[in-house]
Amino acid sequence: MRKGLSLLLIGGILMLSLTGCFGGNTYQVDYGGQKDCFTHAKDSYRAGAQVTLYYGLIATDTDYSFYLDGEQISPDYDEKHGFIIRFTMPDHDVKLRVESVNSMEYRPERDVEPQKEWVLTFDSFDGGGPDYTATADDLSLLEITSERVYQSADHAELDGAGYQVRFTFRGLQPGTALVTVSARSPVGDSFDAFYGVIVYDDLTIGMAKLYDTN
């Protein structure tokens, strides 16, 4: 009887010891309302656990950043899972935050020195050179004018006379806009170029090229 009781006591002590070594406390993960965006995400993990999460809801032309308790972490990536986030669960609650920024969106930190008006120039030539157009997604913010400037005074007598198309942008009211410059040519390259524009309170303009497509 005493032997059996001793075995039970020893077994209980071993179980308590194993629980202390391997069980540990569990802590919560705050996903900032985006838990459903992570595959295999749980509400809590045991302290010391190796956590692996997959973030597969990835939009094109978007940059993603991941932060654990305010510290940026560098995820892995593969085509099957998307972003792979790994971390060791600490012995306290944590917050996992995702920031996404449209890489095509114009951001003021890209500004160059503001100007009263902004001029873009593009080369072309008579008889097949590209035709250019410029427009903005919000024409209430910008006035856009264009002119053709020939390189030679006797261009009318020349075949394939070269010229520049000059677009001038002037601010009408404060705000941000996306400008598209399109080039179309029957013999040369065609493309669309996209520019971010910010019009300041004094109607000066900052402008930066974002990207282009051929």
Side-chain angles (χ1 to χ4, degrees):
M1 181 69 178
R2 290 182 179 177
K3 184 177 179 181
L5 181 59
S6 298
L7 289 174
L8 286 173
L9 289 172
I10 292 171
I13 293 170
L14 285 173
M15 288 299 294
L16 288 172
S17 299
L18 289 173
T19 301
C21 292
F22 299 105
N25 294 325
T26 59
Y27 295 94
Q28 300 292 315
V29 179
D30 179 357
Y31 296 93
Q34 299 189 58
K35 180 186 174 184
D36 291 343
C37 297
F38 293 91
T39 305
H40 303 319
K42 299 179 180 179
D43 291 329
S44 61
Y45 295 89
R46 176 177 52 83
Q50 300 301 309
V51 181
T52 300
L53 301 170
Y54 303 113
Y55 189 90
L57 298 177
I58 302 172
T60 57
D61 303 316
T62 302
D63 299 325
Y64 293 88
S65 300
F66 299 87
Y67 299 86
L68 185 68
D69 284 347
E71 296 291 329
Q72 187 169 5
I73 56 178
S74 299
D76 295 322
Y77 181 86
D78 66 32
E79 294 295 333
K80 181 179 179 180
H81 299 101
F83 290 110
I84 305 172
I85 296 91
R86 297 184 176 93
F87 61 91
T88 301
M89 188 68 186
D91 56 352
H92 57 77
D93 295 340
V94 298
K95 183 173 183 178
L96 183 61
R97 177 166 54 90
V98 183
E99 288 187 358
S100 59
V101 177
N102 189 332
S103 57
M104 296 187 299
E105 181 181 348
Y106 181 59
R107 298 188 289 276
E109 59 264 31
R110 295 183 180 180
D111 289 351
V112 293
E113 187 68 25
Q115 301 179 19
K116 286 188 175 182
E117 60 182 30
W118 207 276
V119 177
L120 296 178
T121 61
F122 300 89
D123 293 325
S124 189
F125 57 89
D126 289 336
D131 292 323
Y132 295 93
T133 58
T135 188
D137 63 346
D138 189 346
L139 291 173
S140 69
L141 302 180
L142 292 169
E143 176 189 40
I144 305 174
T145 59
S146 65
E147 62 177 332
R148 181 181 295 190
V149 180
Y150 280 93
Q151 300 170 358
S152 176
D154 58 350
H155 61 87
E157 302 174 6
L158 301 176
D159 291 330
Y163 62 87
Q164 283 188 334
V165 176
R166 296 182 182 177
F167 294 107
T168 301
F169 303 86
R170 300 179 182 88
L172 297 177
Q173 61 178 337
T176 59
L178 180 68
V179 167
T180 304
V181 177
S182 299
R184 298 293 183 266
S185 172
V187 297
D189 293 333
S190 297
F191 65 85
D192 294 308
F194 299 88
Y195 298 80
V197 177
I198 182 168
V199 182
Y200 295 96
D201 291 339
D202 61 359
L203 301 186
T204 57
I205 295 177
M207 194 169 190
K209 186 175 182 179
L210 302 179
Y211 66 101
D212 57 39
T213 60
N214 292 323

